[in-house]
Each structure stands twice: as C-alpha cells, then as structure tokens.
Amino acid sequence: MATAQLTTDRLAEKHRSTLDQALDTIRTRAYWSPYPEHPKAYGADGSLDAAAGLAAHQSLLNTRFDLDQPGTDGWTGAETSPYGPSLGIEYPHADLDVLLPAMRAGMGAWRDAGAETRALVCLEILARISARTHEFAHAVMHTSGQAFMMAFQAGGPHAQDRGLEAVAYAYAEQTRTPAGRAGWSKPQGKRDPLELSKEFTPVGRGIALVIGCNTFPTWNGYPGLFASLATGNPVLVKPHPRAALPLALTVKVAREVLAESGFDPNLVALAVERPGEGIAKTLAVRPEIRIIDYTGSTAFGDWLEANARQALVYTEKAGVNTVVVDSTDDYKGMLANLAFSLSLYSGQMCTTPQNLLIPRDGITTDQGPRSYDEVVADLAAAVGGLLGDDARANGLLGALVNPDVKARLEAAAGLGEVALASREVVNPEYPDAVVRTPVIVKLDGTKPDAEAAYFSECFGPVSFAVSVDSTADALELLRRTVREKGAMTVGAYTTSADTERAVEEVCLEESAQLSLNLTGGVYVNQTAAFSDFHGSGGNPAANAALCDGAFVSNRFRVVEVRRQA
C-alpha cells in the first residue's frame, strides 16, 4: 500500500486537476480538451515537434518492435501504407498459453492500488502519448490512409480525449461506492445494536481484449483500452493486421508507465497475428478473456456477440447513416456541410452519411424551391467544387484504406444513375496512393430493386440520393433503416417545427443520435469527447455508446468483505 500511495501522490500532483476537470466536463457536456489540436503546439516541455515526430516514426521502419513481453515465440508483421510504402516492422508473436497467465499475475496489486491510482496512471500514459502526437500521427496516417492533419487530430488529441473520457467515467462509477471501510449499525431496541465493519473493493473481471480496427486504430481503440485498464483489468491489444503500429506504440508507452509506477507491465500486452492466422476468433472464446471491445464489420461483431459467451462484448459494427432533406433556410450552407461530410477521409468513417432522402417534388429553400434533380445536381457541384483542386482533395480524402473499398466504389456506379462520378486524384508525394473522390448515385426509393442498394451499408466514398414521395415517407424509411440496419448518425434539414419534432421522435424511439440543420463548421460525422455520445447502444449499429456509464460500469464488480465490529 505504501508504494501505491507514493505513486498516487506523485501522479496526483501532475494529473489530479486534469481528472477533476474531466469529471466536471462529463457532467456539464461543455467543450474542453487538455490535448492541443494544433501541430505547432508541440515541441516544448519534452514533446516532439514535427521534425522529431517524423524522425521517430522513420526510425521504426524496417526494424523489430521489441516489447520484452513474455511468451514471444517469433516475429510477424506485414503492414503496407495505403500511401504505398511497406513499413517493414516486425512485432512479437505471442504464445497465448504463456502470455495470458503472465497478464493475470499483476491483477492483485493493480486492484489493491485503488480507483484513483489506476486513473492517475492512465492519465500519465495518455500524457506521454500526447507528447508523441506527431509520431503517432505518422503511424496512423500510414496504416489507415488518413491525410496527415486528420491523422494528427483524430488519431492524436481526439483519440486521447476519448481515452481520458473513459477514465473519467470509470473513476466516477467505481467511486459511487465508498472506498475503504464503512461502519454499519442496526438498532435493536433495548439490546445492543448489531454492528459490522464493511469494506467495498472494485474488482476487475479479468483480461480484456481490444480488437483494433483499420480505419481509426487509436480513436476507436482507446475507449475500451482505458475503460478496462482503469477498472482493474489487464488489457490484451489485438490490432488489425494492417494497422498494428499505432496500437503497438500505445502498448509500449503503457508498459513503460506501469513499470515505472511499480506495477507489472504485463497488465498491457500486444498480440499481432501472422498473415491469415485469424487469432481474434481464437482469443475471443478463451476462458481468460472476460471483456471484448470490437470495432468493425457487422458479420464479425454478430459472431462475437453470439459466440464469446464467457465475456462481456462491446461492439461498434456498421449501420446505414441517413440524412433527411426536407427544407432549409441556408441552402448554400447545407450543400457545403453535406459535401464536406461526404468527402472527409473518403467516406471511410462509421458516421459518414450514406442515404440522402429527398422528396421527389423537391424542397423549399432560402433561394426558392429546388426539385429533387436540382438538389442532387447542386450537391454534386458542391462536392466537385470542394475537391476540384487536387492538393485540397488530397488533404481531405486521404487514401482508400484497402482494395475492398475501391471495389465497392467502382461497383456503386452500376447501381443507378450517376449524379457525380468518382475521379482519380494523384498524390504527388505518394504516387502509389489510391485516392478517389466520392460517387453520388440517384435511386428511386419506391422501387424494390433500388432498396437492395440503399438498404445495405456501402462503406467508403459512396452515397445514394434516394427520391421519396414525401417527407413523411422519408421519416418512415428512416425509422425502418435505423430499426433494421442501425445507424451511428442521423441528420435532418428542415424549417418546419412539426417535421423537426417528427424526426426527433423517430430518433428517440429508435435510439439514434441526431444532428439538425448543420450548416457551419460542425459535421454530422464528427463527435466531441466529453460532450457527444458516439453511437447509442440502442440500435443494431452498436451495442454500446462511447462513452457513458454503461460502457464502464460492468467491467468491474464491487466485492464486499464484512467483519464483526
């Protein structure tokens, strides 16, 4: 306990105020972040500036990434940047029968340290990651295909925000029950009262498995990682085989901080698979794995929920995100906002709009009535204008993350009338990068053959402009889409108070996060930590929200010890 107290005192001086601010912000839902978004904010106080971050990234290429973790039985790695170059990095391959028992060995001391110490150690991990944001940005860029600035922000401070948010929720949930001993006295009339001393301890469930995704390895990986670690669980990180580096860096930092703080570094470990090995399924059903966090395809998410019966499974899968276009008092702003949303990271976000539901008789705007055909043509022109300059297009689009996205993009052009054709964009710095602008396809929402297209997720830079008979029909289609296919986001544009209430009611009943009349610099496919909930956990797109109390509270149980006073 003395060691834990020394750790708490040392780290509290550095991080307690940050934890307190995070706890306050998850209550107020205001804007706040302790991690700078601008690249020029780094370079002082030991953090890496742009040149040092790039040099640190380049020093890892074509090397072995040694973590000194037990059970290493070989080396593996086959990452190729979506921008072209092979990373050439080899990672330790784990013998699970050795690694998993070693991970459990440190659980007792980590449990006994208490919720505050665990939270402060997690904040130190995040602070050290933040200091290396420039390095992490290159790792995210060259595994996900995000453009550098997006990789810097989404893979850096925004991901760190989500990790801190999870720590704050974990701390809040664990401290609902008083720490230490509590006296209990029950009056017995003329007899002496019944008296007990009771001690309550949050206890982690066991090893947590984080199954990483290709597109947002840190942003989607940090909530589960830090929620589990802060609630007393060891965490095994199984990155996507195409995106191991960002999470390997994370594991390395976590192990260093744990060791320096007097805890077993094996509380956090890495499991990189050999090509074609498919260890996620093997790990998911092992009895040692008690918690699973997963972001990815619906098919594998459904498999995890059905088969990993020994574990709590938190999934973010896929949905069909929808925007209802009824009317607007800022037509130009609406078009610009939608154009950016469809283009950002080549639509490779689980929050990107796919279906735009537009009445076939058109909509009313501040620039007069616009027919369905005019709205679609104007949106196509807005996207074309946004991406007309190749340098700007590269900065927004990034690169297609894998060949499957390219195949879906090419197939989409055959599903209906093409309102905006995709074009190839050359990246002069990375000529091997596959960069494509979005395609917009017109579909008739009343025809059954069109439904097969717009009623399925088409992940990537593909959107469907779906004509419907009326706004009421659009709302019914929205309801059915969310209920049957799920949605991470819903958007709507309307000047009618009745329509606004109607779309809000649909989203409340079907548990979908709604954005109304966005025409400025906030987009439907962006969420802010501490304020916005990512997903709801209430429709088929995801069974959990990032981040709320439910996301962390079942990762630990409170164990009580009663003593006769």
Side-chain angles (χ1 to χ4, degrees), residues 63 124 189 202 209 371 416 422:
T63 65
E124 176 66 15
L209 172 65
S371 69
S422 177

Side-chain angles (χ1 to χ4, degrees), residues 516-532:
L516 285 165
N517 298 318
L518 298 184
T519 56
V522 177
Y523 304 94
V524 67
N525 45 351
Q526 296 175 320
T527 58
F530 310 108
S531 182
D532 296 323

Side-chain angles (χ1 to χ4, degrees), residues 63-397:
T63 65
R64 282 189 169 176
F65 196 99
D66 193 2
L67 289 169
D68 192 29
Q69 62 184 33
T72 297
D73 60 8
W75 297 87
T76 186
E79 292 163 293
T80 297
S81 169
Y83 289 93
S86 170
L87 301 191
I89 302 173
E90 290 187 315
Y91 304 94
H93 182 272
D95 180 340
L96 300 177
D97 291 329
V98 177
L99 179 59
L100 293 178
M103 294 185 70
R104 286 191 57 87
M107 277 191 72
W110 189 235
R111 175 201 65 219
D112 293 343
E116 182 178 14
T117 295
R118 288 194 294 272
L120 294 171
V121 170
C122 287
L123 263 64
E124 176 66 15
I125 295 170
L126 286 164
R128 294 196 192 183
I129 291 171
S130 175
R132 297 169 62 176
T133 291
H134 273 284
E135 179 185 2
F136 273 77
H138 289 286
V140 171
M141 174 183 175
H142 285 290
T143 53
S144 70
Q146 294 176 30
F148 177 78
M149 186 53 70
M150 184 176 187
F152 183 92
Q153 293 185 336
H158 298 172
Q160 296 150 22
D161 284 340
R162 283 297 185 192
L164 175 55
E165 178 185 44
V167 174
Y169 273 102
Y171 180 82
E173 292 298 322
Q174 290 174 97
T175 54
R176 289 187 188 279
T177 304
R181 294 190 179 184
W184 182 86
S185 180
K186 181 179 180 180
Q188 296 293 299
K190 295 181 179 180
R191 292 175 293 167
D192 292 338
L194 298 176
E195 294 187 345
L196 294 175
S197 173
K198 302 184 179 184
E199 189 171 6
F200 305 94
T201 303
V203 177
R205 286 185 171 272
I207 298 175
L209 172 65
V210 174
I211 302 176
C213 70
N214 196 171
T215 48
F216 289 89
T218 55
W219 198 97
N220 279 112
Y222 283 7
L225 192 163
F226 284 100
S228 288
L229 189 62
T231 50
N233 303 282
V235 182
L236 180 60
V237 177
K238 204 297 291 182
H240 192 284
R242 294 193 185 100
L245 181 57
L247 291 178
L249 286 168
T250 303
V251 169
K252 189 175 183 68
V253 173
R255 291 174 63 84
E256 290 170 352
V257 171
L258 285 164
E260 291 174 21
S261 302
F263 298 102
D264 190 338
N266 296 320
L267 287 165
V268 179
L270 186 73
V272 179
E273 60 192 296
R274 296 188 176 105
E277 186 178 9
I279 63 171
K281 279 191 173 182
T282 301
L283 279 166
V285 297
R286 285 193 64 124
E288 302 97 327
I289 302 299
R290 304 304 304 277
I291 302 167
I292 298 173
D293 287 277
Y294 168 75
T295 300
S297 72
T298 297
F300 191 59
D302 289 344
W303 185 92
L304 287 170
E305 292 171 1
N307 291 278
R309 306 306 295 272
Q310 86 292 348
L312 296 168
V313 179
Y314 299 89
T315 60
E316 181 196 309
K317 297 178 288 189
V320 177
N321 300 319
T322 301
V323 176
V324 175
V325 182
D326 168 73
S327 53
T328 180
D329 58 8
D330 184 358
Y331 187 58
K332 184 178 179 181
M334 180 189 80
L335 294 173
N337 192 279
L338 286 174
F340 189 93
S341 297
L342 300 182
S343 303
L344 184 62
Y345 185 32
S346 300
Q348 298 170 123
M349 304 172 69
C350 63
T351 49
T352 300
Q354 175 179 301
N355 293 344
L356 311 174
L357 308 186
I358 307 167
R360 68 181 71 257
D361 291 337
I363 67 172
T364 59
T365 80
D366 58 316
Q367 298 183 16
R370 290 289 188 272
S371 69
Y372 163 82
D373 288 330
E374 288 174 324
V375 172
V376 179
D378 291 344
L379 178 59
V383 174
L386 178 68
L387 303 176
D389 176 74
D390 281 3
R392 186 178 188 185
N394 277 306
L396 280 175
L397 296 170

Side-chain angles (χ1 to χ4, degrees), residues 322-324 355 357 445 451 454-455 466 468-485 490 499 502-507 509-510:
T322 301
V323 176
V324 175
N355 293 344
L357 308 186
E451 183 174 303
Y454 68 73
F455 215 58
V466 182
V468 293
D469 288 338
S470 65
T471 297
D473 289 324
L475 295 180
E476 272 310 302
L477 181 53
L478 168 65
R479 180 187 298 277
R480 190 162 68 92
T481 302
V482 177
R483 180 176 295 175
E484 297 181 24
K485 299 297 181 179
V490 172
T499 299
V503 70
E504 184 176 349
E505 188 65 20
V506 170
C507 290
E509 291 179 356
E510 305 301 332

